[in-house]
Every structure is written in structure tokens, then in C-alpha cells.
Amino acid sequence: MAERRDRPATWTHLVISTETFFRTVTNVTGQEIPTFMEQWIYNGGHASFRVQYVFNRKRNMIELEVKQKVEPGNGRLRFCFNFAHSNSWLQLACSAQILHFRYVGPLTVLVQELDGSFSHTVQIDGDVSRADLQCHSKGRRQKKKRVPLYSGDDVEVDLSNMDPDSPVLWIRLDPELHLIRNLMINQPDYQWEYMLRYERDVLAQLQALPQALARMRTNGMALQEVQCFIVDYIRYNDNSINRYCDDHYRASLLNALAACVAPVNTLGGGNYIPDALSWEMNEVVEVSVRAS
């Protein structure tokens, strides 16, 4: 042992690198994993999914569409340095290039139906991926029903607000957070409401809360209490002690705030200068500018 300590050349078999580790993985499993290494080891960034779907009543299937939106914020910067001699001076030129992230692989879709929660795996292989998900329930024209949830609980759900031809209560993507991703789901308002009211998962409720509240209406108008709630949610959102940024979360709050602001055509004519706005609208403008 003392001889090995004095001869560093004998330590080489004890030193492991990324390349030697994955070479060992390939030798043991017999599988090459270049896509995994390219996405998760050598490149940075995260995936950004935009999801929408429609229910096909005749086929009793969900027609799902997943788009990957490549944005400047979901890549990483690669810096390139070039050295050059000029008049006895050493010049350094630096350029930055954004490496975008496109996810390729499986994506879990959790569909909460009237007869239970069903998990599907969708293969993402490009900027736009489509899949047909078979539903295991039928639409029911009844007011209430006990529904088994993903958590194992059974809850009595009021079905008076949902589409009677559709058995889908809500959908979730990647519920176990296997991916580093930004996610935006376009689904009917009542599904956000059901997700907020009955889903036991805290992350699902956090996602559904602003969206469901912002779409509440009385006589076609958003509730003033909801607008004030979301304004305070944005104003007092303190992320100073968190080393991770919350830009996408703040963006979702701003989208919810925009959804609960009355359209221009309901406000009547006139030029809306800051002094002419109500104090509620001034608050909306203030927090929107400060958060953006």
C-alpha cells in the first residue's frame, strides 16, 4: 500500500471521469446512450412544453398536441474565446452563442377521468408531437359521482359544470417532476376548477389556483376580489432567499392577472391616461410593470 501511495501512476484505475463512467455503463448494459448524454450531460437548458387537446366523442379519445417552444431563456450560453496578436498586444475576443434545448424522449400524461386516474406515456420526438389517448370512461349526465383519484382517495365530484359528453376532469403532464421543464396547459376553465378543488397534489393546486380564479365571472365580469388577490400574490412574491429564479411562475401569475382584467370593449370609449385610471387598474399596471 505504501508503494502505491508513492507511485501516482498506479492510481489511474481509481480515477473516474464522465467518459470512463459512461463507457462502463455501455460495456455493462450493451446500450449506447448518446442522446441522453447530449441532453443531460454536455448541454444545459430545459424543455418548454405548450400543450393543448380536444376530446373526440365518437372515438372516446383525447387528441393531444405537445409543442416545444424554443426560447432564449431555456438554453445556455456557450462562450467562445479567440486570441490574436496585434502590434505586440494580445487581443481577446469573446462571443456568446445560445444553445437551445429540444427534449427527445418519453413524457408522462396523467388523465383524471370519471372512473379513475390513468397514466399514458407519449413519445416526444420533435417540435410538435401528437398522440391519441384512449379514455377508459364514458361521459355521464348526472349531477354527482364518487371519483377515485391518483392519490388513492375517493371524492364526490359535482359534475354540473362539466361537459356531459366528456369523461375528462383534468390532465397533468409529468406529475412526478422527472423532467426539468416549463409547462403550459390549455384546458377548459371547469377543468382548472376541478383540479383546484379535488386534486390532492400540492403542485397541481399551485398550478391551477391562479388560472381557475382568474376565469371566474359574475355577469360576464371578473371578480374584483380575485383581481386584488392576484395583484397581492405578485406584489408580495418574495424569491430573494431562493437561489433558483421564478420567472416562469411570475409569468403564469401575470397571465392570470391578464385573464381577469376586463376587455377594453367593456370599458367604454375614452383615452386611458394614468391619471384617469381607477386605483384598482393603477395597481394592476404597477405590479405588471414591476414584475416584468
Side-chain angles (χ1 to χ4, degrees), residues 50-292:
R50 300 293 182 268
V51 182
Q52 60 183 6
Y53 64 93
V54 294
F55 174 71
N56 190 317
R57 182 172 58 87
K58 293 182 178 180
R59 302 171 60 198
N60 198 38
M61 299 185 74
I62 293 175
E63 298 174 353
L64 183 77
E65 181 182 80
V66 181
K67 294 182 179 180
Q68 293 200 68
K69 185 177 181 182
V70 178
E71 302 168 329
N74 69 333
R76 71 169 183 176
L77 287 177
R78 179 175 63 185
F79 294 95
C80 302
F81 297 94
N82 296 316
F83 294 91
H85 288 279
S86 177
N87 298 327
S88 301
W89 289 89
L90 181 63
Q91 295 181 341
L92 173 63
C94 176
S95 61
Q97 178 185 8
I98 295 179
L99 302 179
H100 297 300
F101 184 100
R102 281 184 173 85
Y103 173 72
V104 176
L107 180 65
T108 302
V109 180
L110 188 66
V111 181
Q112 179 62 56
E113 302 181 25
L114 292 174
D115 291 342
S117 183
F118 301 93
S119 181
H120 306 264
T121 300
V122 176
Q123 181 65 26
I124 305 299
D125 51 13
D127 290 345
V128 180
S129 301
R130 296 180 176 88
D132 293 336
L133 310 180
Q134 182 66 56
C135 290
H136 300 76
S137 312
K138 295 288 186 179
R140 291 180 174 85
R141 298 180 182 273
Q142 58 189 87
K143 293 184 177 180
K144 293 184 178 181
K145 184 183 184 302
R146 294 201 66 84
V147 176
L149 301 179
Y150 179 69
S151 61
D153 299 331
D154 283 357
V155 296
E156 188 174 63
V157 178
D158 182 2
L159 306 179
S160 58
N161 293 330
M162 72 176 296
D163 181 0
D165 295 327
S166 173
V168 180
L169 293 174
W170 63 80
I171 73 168
R172 296 179 60 197
L173 269 74
D174 188 29
E176 301 296 334
L177 302 179
H178 291 155
L179 301 177
I180 302 175
R181 80 289 190 278
N182 174 39
L183 178 63
M184 182 175 293
I185 303 177
N186 183 15
Q187 60 182 348
D189 296 344
Y190 72 85
Q191 294 185 359
W192 287 116
E193 179 185 347
Y194 284 147
M195 188 173 172
L196 175 62
R197 181 181 297 180
Y198 300 110
E199 176 62 80
R200 294 295 187 260
D201 187 271
V202 175
L203 292 176
Q205 292 184 349
L206 181 62
Q207 181 184 12
L209 176 60
Q211 307 300 329
L213 291 178
R215 288 162 174 78
M216 295 176 62
R217 294 291 186 270
T218 300
N219 298 326
M221 300 294 292
L223 299 179
Q224 185 64 42
E225 295 84 354
V226 171
Q227 181 177 308
C228 293
F229 172 78
I230 298 178
V231 165
D232 289 341
Y233 217 168
I234 298 173
R235 174 179 294 162
Y236 300 112
N237 175 48
D238 183 10
N239 196 52
S240 58
I241 62 175
N242 186 1
R243 65 173 180 169
Y244 300 103
C245 73
D246 63 342
D247 293 344
H248 293 293
Y249 175 64
R250 289 192 299 164
S252 67
L253 292 179
L254 288 174
N255 287 333
L257 182 60
C260 71
V261 173
V264 174
N265 58 8
T266 66
L267 300 177
N271 296 322
Y272 293 98
I273 60 176
D275 293 339
L277 295 176
S278 64
W279 68 269
E280 297 96 338
M281 191 56 62
N282 269 313
E283 280 198 332
V284 171
V285 174
E286 177 188 346
V287 299
S288 300
V289 172
R290 185 175 300 173
S292 60

Side-chain angles (χ1 to χ4, degrees), residues 8-68:
T10 62
W11 302 352
T12 55
H13 68 286
L14 300 176
V15 179
I16 190 170
S17 64
T18 302
E19 289 75 14
T20 57
F21 172 75
F22 280 105
R23 192 181 306 123
T24 303
V25 171
T26 300
N27 292 336
V28 172
T29 63
Q31 297 181 356
E32 298 284 346
I33 49 176
T35 302
F36 174 84
M37 296 175 64
E38 187 69 21
Q39 286 187 349
W40 301 107
I41 305 299
Y42 298 117
N43 285 335
H46 64 271
S48 182
F49 298 119
R50 300 293 182 268
V51 182
Q52 60 183 6
Y53 64 93
V54 294
F55 174 71
N56 190 317
R57 182 172 58 87
K58 293 182 178 180
R59 302 171 60 198
N60 198 38
M61 299 185 74
I62 293 175
E63 298 174 353
L64 183 77
E65 181 182 80
V66 181
K67 294 182 179 180
Q68 293 200 68

